[in-house]
Amino acid sequence: MGDSKLGFTRRRLLKTLGAASVTLAAAQIFGEPNAAGQEPSGLQPAPEFTGPGANPYWTSPGQFATYPQKAPLILLTDRPVQLETPRHYFLSTFTPNDAFFVRWHLQTIPNAVDLKEWRLHVEGNVERPLTLSFPELVARFKSVSVAAVNQCSGNSRSRLQPRVAGGQWGNGAMGNAAWTGVKLREILDAAGVKSGSVQVQFEGLDRGLGPKGFGSNRFLKSLDLTNPVIDECLVAYAMNGEPLPMLNGFPVRLIVPGYFATYYVKSLSWIRVLDTPDDNFWMKAAYRIPDAPRGNTTPEDMKSGKVATVPIARMPVRSFLISPDGSTKIPAGFPLRLRGIAFSGYGGMKKVEVSTDNGANWSEARLGPDEGEYSFRTWSLDWTPKSAGRHPLAVRATDAKGNVQPDEGVWNPGGYLWNKIERQEIVVGDAS
Ligand SMILES: Nc1nc2c(c(=O)[nH]1)N[C@H]1C(S)=C(S)[C@@H](COP(=O)(O)O)O[C@H]1N2
Ligand SMILES: [Mo]
């Protein structure tokens, strides 16, 4: 690992957290019911992203908001809090904590956690229920780090045609961090999973009203105990070497490398071993995808009621051109360095290719440092546009399993799994 962010020490963490509580002083994070899922699915086309003058921030309308511990981020909704990361932050492998996107579902989110009071409970179908204080959690289990992308299932939802309800994210509902914590497996072993157990359920500190059809007042996610990803999960207490921002799940959150962020339960406080499959709203009704290639279906097939669904899981391969962003005109003959990132939930990157002629020809980009198979991987390619005019650039990644980004969009009612080849038009001016 070439980055010090993965060389995090427990001693430093405990020093940082010497003050036993972290408080968010934001009154506006309490509010009315979640509007997600209740907005009409209008059929106006998604905005086109052409330059110059293109909105360089991924999404329109693009109002910025400042929340505690956060840089100005693009405000999607404030009840619940949904903040999108502006495009330029994705020039680096690791997304800064203060710029990391934010997504909650429920009305009331924790804005203060007193570590003297806080406990992680391990309960349910176990031999020895555990109640771990923060220092116990840190000291009792081995400290490990992993670089992993946290991407919302609905990232890029605004691109779907026909449009679907839900937060109209651009491409900034994702981020990559070096997560440090302890292995979920070690915690489960300490508690002793009883035979007959089928799933493990995760619950945070948020409470209250959620979207339509949601009966409980809790956000709950579960994973099958037979899923090999259980052995890769971390209960993370540090993000890029610092305590987690409150809005990103202080004091600890679950990390499920390669999986969509819906499983990355924030302010994780209950780990519950189940002897029957979890049928709560967030597993049975929400975050499900058609059981079909790419999770793809049509509005007509959905209406037939015959589309079988499964819980969403791993993230398909994606790549992004971050710079140039199309917002300024480039003089002909100007040597550009095209830069961006790529990742896949199915393992590391094999190659990233760039086309400067709308997909007719492709050139392989140079890959940046390898921070692990679930991390962002930066890429770059030098290119000097020779002729004035519009140059449609495109970027396409292939992951280590050989999965290639398709040039077709995907459609499902949740607006999940978008991974179509990204395009960015660059306008080159005559410099003579
Ligand atoms: N406790 C809790 N954890 C949660 C959620 C939530 O609503 N409550 N939302 C999940 C979803 S759907 C996403 S996209 C990520 C967002 O993580 P972030 O806010 O750190 O970017 O958190 C996940 N973990
Ligand atoms: Mo999400």
Side-chain angles (χ1 to χ4, degrees):
M1 299 279 171
D3 197 300
S4 62
K5 278 171 184 146
L6 288 174
F8 176 84
T9 68
R10 279 182 277 191
R11 208 158 53 93
R12 197 163 79 74
L13 172 81
L14 290 169
K15 215 170 132 197
T16 321
L17 293 178
S21 76
V22 172
T23 302
L24 259 197
Q28 68 275 44
I29 55 187
F30 298 99
E32 286 158 9
N34 185 341
Q38 294 174 18
E39 51 222 82
S41 59
L43 290 178
Q44 67 273 49
E48 273 195 54
F49 296 87
T50 54
N55 172 357
Y57 298 114
W58 294 127
T59 196
S60 49
Q63 256 191 47
F64 283 73
T66 309
Y67 277 78
Q69 304 176 295
K70 288 283 160 183
L73 298 177
I74 300 161
L75 180 69
L76 253 72
T77 62
D78 64 349
R79 290 170 258 181
V81 189
Q82 297 194 84
L83 307 171
E84 177 165 344
T85 302
R87 178 174 180 171
H88 66 270
Y89 285 107
F90 298 107
L91 280 175
S92 57
T93 307
F94 293 103
T95 315
N97 290 3
D98 68 349
F100 213 94
F101 86 102
V102 173
R103 203 278 188 250
W104 292 87
H105 294 76
L106 305 186
Q107 185 185 27
T108 308
I109 62 173
N111 70 355
V113 173
D114 184 347
L115 287 186
K116 284 200 198 106
E117 305 283 321
W118 179 86
R119 296 291 181 273
L120 175 62
H121 305 271
V122 187
E123 57 183 40
N125 206 35
V126 294
E127 309 282 354
R128 298 168 292 277
L130 306 175
T131 306
L132 301 163
S133 69
F134 188 85
E136 280 167 353
L137 177 74
V138 174
R140 181 162 168 184
F141 306 99
K142 203 176 100 207
S143 169
V144 286
S145 293
V146 65
V149 175
N150 181 57
Q151 182 189 210
C152 181
S153 315
N155 193 24
S156 317
R157 182 180 284 127
S158 63
R159 314 302 195 233
L160 268 78
Q161 289 293 329
R163 299 189 81 168
V164 294
Q168 296 300 304
W169 298 108
N171 289 340
M174 61 176 182
N176 184 51
W179 307 99
T180 302
V182 304
K183 283 190 167 264
L184 172 66
R185 176 59 77 191
E186 282 196 31
I187 300 176
L188 291 175
D189 286 350
V193 172
K194 284 190 185 165
S195 68
S197 303
V198 292
Q199 288 188 331
V200 54
Q201 185 186 60
F202 307 93
E203 178 180 342
L205 296 169
D206 43 332
R207 291 289 179 275
L209 294 173
K212 204 158 82 184
F214 162 67
S216 161
N217 71 337
R218 296 178 298 166
F219 180 82
L220 301 163
K221 297 297 295 189
S222 295
L223 291 168
D224 288 345
L225 279 162
T226 52
N227 187 336
V229 83
I230 294 271
D231 289 314
E232 296 196 67
C233 288
L234 292 193
V235 172
Y237 46 68
M239 176 175 178
N240 293 327
E242 301 289 338
L244 279 63
M246 191 65 59
L247 288 166
N248 299 107
F250 183 88
V252 304
R253 81 181 300 174
L254 187 70
I255 303 302
V256 189
Y259 273 55
F260 275 106
T262 182
Y263 295 100
Y264 282 50
V265 174
K266 299 193 277 188
S267 59
L268 174 67
S269 302
W270 290 270
I271 296 176
R272 196 170 293 121
V273 176
L274 307 179
D275 59 7
T276 52
D278 190 350
D279 65 354
N280 101 83
F281 176 85
W282 304 105
M283 295 303 300
K284 208 178 155 181
Y287 290 106
R288 296 183 72 90
I289 54 167
D291 190 8
R294 297 187 66 211
N296 197 26
T297 185
T298 62
E300 295 68 40
D301 282 355
M302 277 315 290
K303 274 186 210 119
S304 78
K306 288 196 187 110
V307 177
T309 64
V310 292
I312 197 165
R314 289 187 185 270
M315 304 182 289
V317 59
R318 297 195 74 174
S319 61
F320 300 88
L321 174 72
I322 306 303
S323 177
D325 62 17
S327 60
T328 56
K329 208 174 199 177
I330 312 282
F334 189 91
L336 287 175
R337 175 158 292 178
L338 310 179
R339 296 167 65 194
I341 50 157
F343 67 95
S344 167
Y346 293 87
M349 301 317 305
K350 186 161 156 205
K351 62 177 175 184
V352 172
E353 296 161 295
V354 177
S355 170
T356 56
D357 54 11
N358 202 22
N361 296 285
W362 295 90
S363 311
E364 210 167 317
R366 208 168 36 240
L367 295 180
D370 184 357
E371 300 285 359
E373 56 182 332
Y374 298 118
S375 173
F376 281 165
R377 185 93 187 249
T378 56
W379 61 263
S380 65
L381 182 74
D382 294 332
W383 174 63
T384 303
K386 300 212 169 60
S387 56
R390 296 175 173 271
H391 295 264
L393 310 186
V395 56
R396 166 175 91 182
T398 304
D399 70 19
K401 298 261 157 49
N403 301 302
V404 191
Q405 277 183 268
D407 209 4
E408 293 82 44
V410 66
W411 193 91
N412 52 63
Y416 302 141
L417 297 162
W418 186 262
N419 78 327
K420 183 186 191 311
I421 290 173
E422 296 282 326
R423 285 189 165 68
Q424 170 69 62
E425 187 170 86
I426 302 295
V427 177
V428 174
D430 200 338
S432 60

